[in-house]
Amino acid sequence: MLDGGDGADPGAPLDAWLVSDDHAELMPRIRRRAGELSQHPLVGSFAADGVALRPQPVRHTSHPTVGYLIETAARRAVWAPEFWVFPEWAAGSDLMFADAAGWKRPIRFAGGVGGHACVADVAEAARRAGVRRLVFAHIGRPSIRAIEAGQQPPFGEWGTEGSTFLLR
């Protein structure tokens, strides 16, 4: 399981529960549910059946946060649902799940300690970085309004609940 929270319940059995921000506002609920499944959510690595997940730093807030590089023998995916600056380590990935909290403008946190990138900037950065498929996750209110108005990102697609993505 990567991150999680309201409505995102992995069920059992579960081998690991990895999080991007162990100080996130959803952590009390994640810890409670993970405990019910005999897991301890953490920022860490995991490998099984030819798939490896490794945490990579992202610039998001005043404390350390990460995204995850997910690798098979032939493919690379990126889980980076929250960041202020596009992560360089995502370059060349086959699939990237990225921040979409802002639509046309980044969202800056009070005190200038980070924030969320916007869809327009992430789409451009991902295209320049050679990301082959971009899926917007962590969709914030400005992006929800854009979706409701029928707007589409200049590159990439909106993530939708229940979708499946395969690395082939």
mmCIF file of all heavy atoms in Angstrom, residues 39-74:
data_model
loop_
_atom_site.group_PDB
_atom_site.id
_atom_site.type_symbol
_atom_site.label_atom_id
_atom_site.label_comp_id
_atom_site.label_asym_id
_atom_site.label_seq_id
_atom_site.Cartn_x
_atom_site.Cartn_y
_atom_site.Cartn_z
ATOM 1 N N GLN A 39 0.306 -3.983 10.475
ATOM 2 C CA GLN A 39 1.345 -3.280 9.734
ATOM 3 C C GLN A 39 1.730 -2.004 10.473
ATOM 4 O O GLN A 39 0.968 -1.477 11.278
ATOM 5 C CB GLN A 39 0.859 -2.907 8.329
ATOM 6 C CG GLN A 39 0.717 -4.077 7.398
ATOM 7 C CD GLN A 39 2.041 -4.703 7.057
ATOM 8 O OE1 GLN A 39 3.040 -4.029 6.856
ATOM 9 N NE2 GLN A 39 2.063 -6.027 6.996
ATOM 10 N N HIS A 40 2.920 -1.524 10.150
ATOM 11 C CA HIS A 40 3.398 -0.245 10.667
ATOM 12 C C HIS A 40 3.733 0.617 9.456
ATOM 13 O O HIS A 40 4.683 0.327 8.737
ATOM 14 C CB HIS A 40 4.645 -0.451 11.533
ATOM 15 C CG HIS A 40 5.230 0.830 12.018
ATOM 16 N ND1 HIS A 40 4.648 1.585 13.013
ATOM 17 C CD2 HIS A 40 6.330 1.506 11.622
ATOM 18 C CE1 HIS A 40 5.372 2.665 13.208
ATOM 19 N NE2 HIS A 40 6.390 2.643 12.376
ATOM 20 N N PRO A 41 2.935 1.671 9.178
ATOM 21 C CA PRO A 41 3.223 2.501 8.007
ATOM 22 C C PRO A 41 4.524 3.270 8.199
ATOM 23 O O PRO A 41 4.798 3.790 9.282
ATOM 24 C CB PRO A 41 2.023 3.443 7.935
ATOM 25 C CG PRO A 41 1.493 3.496 9.326
ATOM 26 C CD PRO A 41 1.798 2.168 9.948
ATOM 27 N N LEU A 42 5.339 3.316 7.142
ATOM 28 C CA LEU A 42 6.627 3.991 7.252
ATOM 29 C C LEU A 42 7.130 4.463 5.906
ATOM 30 O O LEU A 42 6.672 4.017 4.866
ATOM 31 C CB LEU A 42 7.657 3.055 7.887
ATOM 32 C CG LEU A 42 7.909 1.705 7.200
ATOM 33 C CD1 LEU A 42 8.989 1.798 6.147
ATOM 34 C CD2 LEU A 42 8.290 0.680 8.247
ATOM 35 N N VAL A 43 8.088 5.390 5.954
ATOM 36 C CA VAL A 43 8.846 5.771 4.778
ATOM 37 C C VAL A 43 9.958 4.737 4.679
ATOM 38 O O VAL A 43 10.780 4.619 5.587
ATOM 39 C CB VAL A 43 9.434 7.192 4.915
ATOM 40 C CG1 VAL A 43 10.385 7.490 3.768
ATOM 41 C CG2 VAL A 43 8.331 8.229 4.992
ATOM 42 N N GLY A 44 9.958 3.955 3.621
ATOM 43 C CA GLY A 44 10.956 2.903 3.507
ATOM 44 C C GLY A 44 10.910 2.231 2.159
ATOM 45 O O GLY A 44 10.136 2.611 1.275
ATOM 46 N N SER A 45 11.744 1.210 2.007
ATOM 47 C CA SER A 45 11.839 0.444 0.772
ATOM 48 C C SER A 45 11.100 -0.878 0.916
ATOM 49 O O SER A 45 10.897 -1.372 2.023
ATOM 50 C CB SER A 45 13.307 0.151 0.443
ATOM 51 O OG SER A 45 14.019 1.344 0.240
ATOM 52 N N PHE A 46 10.758 -1.461 -0.230
ATOM 53 C CA PHE A 46 10.125 -2.767 -0.242
ATOM 54 C C PHE A 46 10.436 -3.425 -1.577
ATOM 55 O O PHE A 46 10.473 -2.753 -2.614
ATOM 56 C CB PHE A 46 8.604 -2.641 -0.079
ATOM 57 C CG PHE A 46 7.899 -3.962 -0.101
ATOM 58 C CD1 PHE A 46 7.890 -4.779 1.014
ATOM 59 C CD2 PHE A 46 7.262 -4.405 -1.254
ATOM 60 C CE1 PHE A 46 7.249 -6.011 1.005
ATOM 61 C CE2 PHE A 46 6.615 -5.629 -1.279
ATOM 62 C CZ PHE A 46 6.614 -6.431 -0.154
ATOM 63 N N ALA A 47 10.662 -4.725 -1.568
ATOM 64 C CA ALA A 47 10.895 -5.476 -2.806
ATOM 65 C C ALA A 47 10.262 -6.852 -2.679
ATOM 66 O O ALA A 47 10.327 -7.486 -1.624
ATOM 67 C CB ALA A 47 12.384 -5.603 -3.084
ATOM 68 N N ALA A 48 9.638 -7.309 -3.767
ATOM 69 C CA ALA A 48 9.051 -8.648 -3.833
ATOM 70 C C ALA A 48 8.703 -8.949 -5.285
ATOM 71 O O ALA A 48 8.291 -8.052 -6.031
ATOM 72 C CB ALA A 48 7.799 -8.749 -2.967
ATOM 73 N N ASP A 49 8.859 -10.194 -5.659
ATOM 74 C CA ASP A 49 8.422 -10.673 -6.974
ATOM 75 C C ASP A 49 8.909 -9.807 -8.137
ATOM 76 O O ASP A 49 8.154 -9.528 -9.069
ATOM 77 C CB ASP A 49 6.889 -10.788 -7.020
ATOM 78 C CG ASP A 49 6.350 -11.764 -5.995
ATOM 79 O OD1 ASP A 49 7.022 -12.782 -5.735
ATOM 80 O OD2 ASP A 49 5.266 -11.494 -5.447
ATOM 81 N N GLY A 50 10.151 -9.355 -8.085
ATOM 82 C CA GLY A 50 10.730 -8.595 -9.191
ATOM 83 C C GLY A 50 10.346 -7.131 -9.246
ATOM 84 O O GLY A 50 10.611 -6.457 -10.238
ATOM 85 N N VAL A 51 9.704 -6.634 -8.196
ATOM 86 C CA VAL A 51 9.327 -5.222 -8.136
ATOM 87 C C VAL A 51 9.986 -4.607 -6.907
ATOM 88 O O VAL A 51 9.920 -5.167 -5.817
ATOM 89 C CB VAL A 51 7.793 -5.046 -8.033
ATOM 90 C CG1 VAL A 51 7.434 -3.570 -7.933
ATOM 91 C CG2 VAL A 51 7.095 -5.687 -9.217
ATOM 92 N N ALA A 52 10.636 -3.465 -7.093
ATOM 93 C CA ALA A 52 11.286 -2.764 -5.980
ATOM 94 C C ALA A 52 10.722 -1.356 -5.871
ATOM 95 O O ALA A 52 10.547 -0.669 -6.882
ATOM 96 C CB ALA A 52 12.790 -2.707 -6.197
ATOM 97 N N LEU A 53 10.437 -0.943 -4.653
ATOM 98 C CA LEU A 53 9.986 0.418 -4.361
ATOM 99 C C LEU A 53 11.035 1.064 -3.481
ATOM 100 O O LEU A 53 11.395 0.506 -2.440
ATOM 101 C CB LEU A 53 8.641 0.407 -3.629
ATOM 102 C CG LEU A 53 7.426 -0.033 -4.426
ATOM 103 C CD1 LEU A 53 7.311 -1.530 -4.477
ATOM 104 C CD2 LEU A 53 6.183 0.585 -3.840
ATOM 105 N N ARG A 54 11.507 2.244 -3.900
ATOM 106 C CA ARG A 54 12.517 2.960 -3.130
ATOM 107 C C ARG A 54 12.092 4.402 -2.936
ATOM 108 O O ARG A 54 11.710 5.072 -3.894
ATOM 109 C CB ARG A 54 13.870 2.925 -3.849
ATOM 110 C CG ARG A 54 14.473 1.532 -3.916
ATOM 111 C CD ARG A 54 15.849 1.518 -4.576
ATOM 112 N NE ARG A 54 15.728 1.856 -5.999
ATOM 113 C CZ ARG A 54 16.376 2.850 -6.596
ATOM 114 N NH1 ARG A 54 17.207 3.615 -5.931
ATOM 115 N NH2 ARG A 54 16.208 3.076 -7.881
ATOM 116 N N PRO A 55 12.175 4.900 -1.705
ATOM 117 C CA PRO A 55 11.810 6.304 -1.473
ATOM 118 C C PRO A 55 12.850 7.237 -2.089
ATOM 119 O O PRO A 55 14.050 6.945 -2.065
ATOM 120 C CB PRO A 55 11.792 6.421 0.051
ATOM 121 C CG PRO A 55 12.704 5.345 0.534
ATOM 122 C CD PRO A 55 12.609 4.237 -0.475
ATOM 123 N N GLN A 56 12.357 8.331 -2.645
ATOM 124 C CA GLN A 56 13.210 9.361 -3.236
ATOM 125 C C GLN A 56 12.730 10.714 -2.702
ATOM 126 O O GLN A 56 11.528 10.930 -2.570
ATOM 127 C CB GLN A 56 13.103 9.346 -4.764
ATOM 128 C CG GLN A 56 13.481 8.035 -5.408
ATOM 129 C CD GLN A 56 14.951 7.719 -5.252
ATOM 130 O OE1 GLN A 56 15.801 8.570 -5.477
ATOM 131 N NE2 GLN A 56 15.252 6.493 -4.833
ATOM 132 N N PRO A 57 13.646 11.623 -2.424
ATOM 133 C CA PRO A 57 13.224 12.904 -1.830
ATOM 134 C C PRO A 57 12.416 13.769 -2.789
ATOM 135 O O PRO A 57 12.664 13.786 -3.991
ATOM 136 C CB PRO A 57 14.562 13.578 -1.489
ATOM 137 C CG PRO A 57 15.543 12.965 -2.431
ATOM 138 C CD PRO A 57 15.082 11.555 -2.663
ATOM 139 N N VAL A 58 11.433 14.468 -2.224
ATOM 140 C CA VAL A 58 10.703 15.494 -2.958
ATOM 141 C C VAL A 58 10.695 16.765 -2.119
ATOM 142 O O VAL A 58 10.743 16.703 -0.895
ATOM 143 C CB VAL A 58 9.246 15.076 -3.300
ATOM 144 C CG1 VAL A 58 9.215 13.917 -4.267
ATOM 145 C CG2 VAL A 58 8.434 14.781 -2.063
ATOM 146 N N ARG A 59 10.660 17.897 -2.799
ATOM 147 C CA ARG A 59 10.518 19.176 -2.104
ATOM 148 C C ARG A 59 9.033 19.488 -2.018
ATOM 149 O O ARG A 59 8.382 19.720 -3.020
ATOM 150 C CB ARG A 59 11.270 20.267 -2.854
ATOM 151 C CG ARG A 59 12.781 20.098 -2.737
ATOM 152 C CD ARG A 59 13.571 21.149 -3.470
ATOM 153 N NE ARG A 59 13.166 22.495 -3.110
ATOM 154 C CZ ARG A 59 13.413 23.560 -3.865
ATOM 155 N NH1 ARG A 59 14.055 23.444 -5.003
ATOM 156 N NH2 ARG A 59 13.014 24.752 -3.474
ATOM 157 N N HIS A 60 8.524 19.440 -0.782
ATOM 158 C CA HIS A 60 7.093 19.647 -0.588
ATOM 159 C C HIS A 60 6.801 20.578 0.594
ATOM 160 O O HIS A 60 6.015 21.500 0.477
ATOM 161 C CB HIS A 60 6.408 18.295 -0.385
ATOM 162 C CG HIS A 60 4.970 18.380 0.017
ATOM 163 N ND1 HIS A 60 4.035 19.139 -0.656
ATOM 164 C CD2 HIS A 60 4.293 17.801 1.035
ATOM 165 C CE1 HIS A 60 2.860 19.019 -0.068
ATOM 166 N NE2 HIS A 60 2.988 18.221 0.969
ATOM 167 N N THR A 61 7.417 20.324 1.736
ATOM 168 C CA THR A 61 7.095 21.085 2.934
ATOM 169 C C THR A 61 8.346 21.274 3.779
ATOM 170 O O THR A 61 9.450 20.998 3.329
ATOM 171 C CB THR A 61 5.932 20.405 3.700
ATOM 172 O OG1 THR A 61 5.492 21.253 4.743
ATOM 173 C CG2 THR A 61 6.309 19.038 4.230
ATOM 174 N N SER A 62 8.181 21.719 5.030
ATOM 175 C CA SER A 62 9.335 22.045 5.881
ATOM 176 C C SER A 62 10.033 20.816 6.453
ATOM 177 O O SER A 62 11.143 20.920 6.947
ATOM 178 C CB SER A 62 8.897 22.965 7.029
ATOM 179 O OG SER A 62 7.916 22.310 7.819
ATOM 180 N N HIS A 63 9.399 19.656 6.408
ATOM 181 C CA HIS A 63 10.044 18.441 6.897
ATOM 182 C C HIS A 63 10.272 17.488 5.715
ATOM 183 O O HIS A 63 9.665 17.654 4.652
ATOM 184 C CB HIS A 63 9.203 17.776 8.004
ATOM 185 C CG HIS A 63 7.821 17.426 7.571
ATOM 186 N ND1 HIS A 63 6.755 18.283 7.710
ATOM 187 C CD2 HIS A 63 7.322 16.315 6.973
ATOM 188 C CE1 HIS A 63 5.666 17.721 7.231
ATOM 189 N NE2 HIS A 63 5.980 16.523 6.772
ATOM 190 N N PRO A 64 11.133 16.501 5.864
ATOM 191 C CA PRO A 64 11.423 15.589 4.749
ATOM 192 C C PRO A 64 10.178 14.820 4.283
ATOM 193 O O PRO A 64 9.404 14.309 5.095
ATOM 194 C CB PRO A 64 12.448 14.616 5.335
ATOM 195 C CG PRO A 64 13.061 15.353 6.482
ATOM 196 C CD PRO A 64 11.964 16.220 7.037
ATOM 197 N N THR A 65 10.000 14.778 2.970
ATOM 198 C CA THR A 65 8.935 14.000 2.347
ATOM 199 C C THR A 65 9.526 13.277 1.146
ATOM 200 O O THR A 65 10.577 13.675 0.629
ATOM 201 C CB THR A 65 7.751 14.886 1.913
ATOM 202 O OG1 THR A 65 8.240 15.933 1.083
ATOM 203 C CG2 THR A 65 7.035 15.483 3.108
ATOM 204 N N VAL A 66 8.857 12.237 0.707
ATOM 205 C CA VAL A 66 9.382 11.432 -0.394
ATOM 206 C C VAL A 66 8.292 11.103 -1.398
ATOM 207 O O VAL A 66 7.105 11.234 -1.133
ATOM 208 C CB VAL A 66 9.998 10.097 0.117
ATOM 209 C CG1 VAL A 66 11.116 10.359 1.121
ATOM 210 C CG2 VAL A 66 8.944 9.167 0.693
ATOM 211 N N GLY A 67 8.745 10.645 -2.553
ATOM 212 C CA GLY A 67 7.927 9.945 -3.528
ATOM 213 C C GLY A 67 8.552 8.567 -3.624
ATOM 214 O O GLY A 67 9.537 8.269 -2.919
ATOM 215 N N TYR A 68 8.048 7.730 -4.477
ATOM 216 C CA TYR A 68 8.605 6.384 -4.624
ATOM 217 C C TYR A 68 8.929 6.078 -6.076
ATOM 218 O O TYR A 68 8.116 6.334 -6.969
ATOM 219 C CB TYR A 68 7.635 5.329 -4.081
ATOM 220 C CG TYR A 68 7.636 5.305 -2.580
ATOM 221 C CD1 TYR A 68 6.772 6.101 -1.849
ATOM 222 C CD2 TYR A 68 8.547 4.520 -1.889
ATOM 223 C CE1 TYR A 68 6.793 6.112 -0.467
ATOM 224 C CE2 TYR A 68 8.577 4.524 -0.502
ATOM 225 C CZ TYR A 68 7.698 5.309 0.196
ATOM 226 O OH TYR A 68 7.744 5.330 1.571
ATOM 227 N N LEU A 69 10.120 5.524 -6.278
ATOM 228 C CA LEU A 69 10.519 4.993 -7.569
ATOM 229 C C LEU A 69 10.168 3.511 -7.523
ATOM 230 O O LEU A 69 10.608 2.790 -6.617
ATOM 231 C CB LEU A 69 12.015 5.200 -7.805
ATOM 232 C CG LEU A 69 12.551 4.707 -9.133
ATOM 233 C CD1 LEU A 69 11.842 5.383 -10.299
ATOM 234 C CD2 LEU A 69 14.051 4.978 -9.211
ATOM 235 N N ILE A 70 9.358 3.083 -8.459
ATOM 236 C CA ILE A 70 8.892 1.698 -8.530
ATOM 237 C C ILE A 70 9.516 1.095 -9.778
ATOM 238 O O ILE A 70 9.274 1.574 -10.892
ATOM 239 C CB ILE A 70 7.351 1.649 -8.611
ATOM 240 C CG1 ILE A 70 6.751 2.423 -7.432
ATOM 241 C CG2 ILE A 70 6.864 0.204 -8.669
ATOM 242 C CD1 ILE A 70 5.299 2.808 -7.618
ATOM 243 N N GLU A 71 10.325 0.047 -9.593
ATOM 244 C CA GLU A 71 11.062 -0.517 -10.722
ATOM 245 C C GLU A 71 10.840 -2.012 -10.874
ATOM 246 O O GLU A 71 10.787 -2.743 -9.890
ATOM 247 C CB GLU A 71 12.554 -0.266 -10.553
ATOM 248 C CG GLU A 71 12.918 1.215 -10.594
ATOM 249 C CD GLU A 71 14.397 1.449 -10.396
ATOM 250 O OE1 GLU A 71 14.903 1.166 -9.290
ATOM 251 O OE2 GLU A 71 15.037 1.889 -11.364
ATOM 252 N N THR A 72 10.710 -2.410 -12.132
ATOM 253 C CA THR A 72 10.769 -3.810 -12.508
ATOM 254 C C THR A 72 12.041 -3.955 -13.339
ATOM 255 O O THR A 72 12.768 -2.968 -13.533
ATOM 256 C CB THR A 72 9.544 -4.233 -13.348
ATOM 257 O OG1 THR A 72 9.609 -3.583 -14.621
ATOM 258 C CG2 THR A 72 8.242 -3.877 -12.646
ATOM 259 N N ALA A 73 12.302 -5.126 -13.859
ATOM 260 C CA ALA A 73 13.500 -5.322 -14.675
ATOM 261 C C ALA A 73 13.490 -4.430 -15.918
ATOM 262 O O ALA A 73 14.545 -4.016 -16.399
ATOM 263 C CB ALA A 73 13.625 -6.791 -15.081
ATOM 264 N N ALA A 74 12.290 -4.102 -16.420
ATOM 265 C CA ALA A 74 12.210 -3.367 -17.676
ATOM 266 C C ALA A 74 11.504 -2.017 -17.611
ATOM 267 O O ALA A 74 11.574 -1.249 -18.564
ATOM 268 C CB ALA A 74 11.502 -4.237 -18.718
#
